[in-house]
Amino acid sequence: MENNKSAKNLWGDYLDKHLEDAFVKDPKVEHFCDNEKDANECATLVVKGIKKATTHSLLGLQLRNESLPKIGDFRIVTDWSGQAKCIVRTTAVKLKPLFSIDESYAQKEGEGNKSLSYWRTTHVDYYTRELAEFKRKPTDSMIVVCEEFEKVF
């Protein structure tokens, strides 16, 4: 966050109104997705309150040595260029096999036409790109990390 002035300013504005969170460690600052179009679209969906979930591959997190999201975590959502758009807080984290994602969860992600088939196509495509650098491929039984969040600022 130290190099991102817009994120620092947004977090400061949030803390001015929420002193109860003054001792929370600085939130992650990041965009969704691995390309500009999708990252900007997802940021807009979160700002509008449509996108309320995201799904990580557990294997991808492990291979990059990233920690699992935890309930109560804050994140500053940016667009592709790093401009802070809003702050979200994690409300639920569930580990599930990819094949078990259902229509209602796909709707929480809020992307595209919100259907399960759209969700599945875009996520399997993403996981394929994500895992390719590690010479791995997504499978139907791989574990995904379903993270639900609420926009708090």
Side-chain angles (χ1 to χ4, degrees), residues 123-145:
H123 283 74
V124 169
D125 288 351
Y126 171 78
Y127 299 142
T128 300
R129 294 189 305 273
E130 173 195 36
L131 298 175
E133 70 178 280
F134 302 103
K135 299 186 180 13
R136 305 290 288 271
K137 291 182 178 178
T139 65
D140 227 25
S141 60
M142 71 182 240
I143 301 300
V144 293
V145 182

Side-chain angles (χ1 to χ4, degrees), residues 58-69:
L58 180 59
L59 183 58
L61 292 175
Q62 290 171 327
L63 292 169
R64 289 188 306 276
N65 290 318
E66 292 180 25
S67 56
L68 285 171

Side-chain angles (χ1 to χ4, degrees), residues 83-100:
Q83 186 66 36
K85 296 298 181 182
C86 65
I87 300 171
V88 298
R89 190 171 200 180
T90 303
T91 58
V93 178
K94 294 181 182 127
L95 278 67
K96 304 171 134 185
L98 180 63
F99 68 79
S100 72

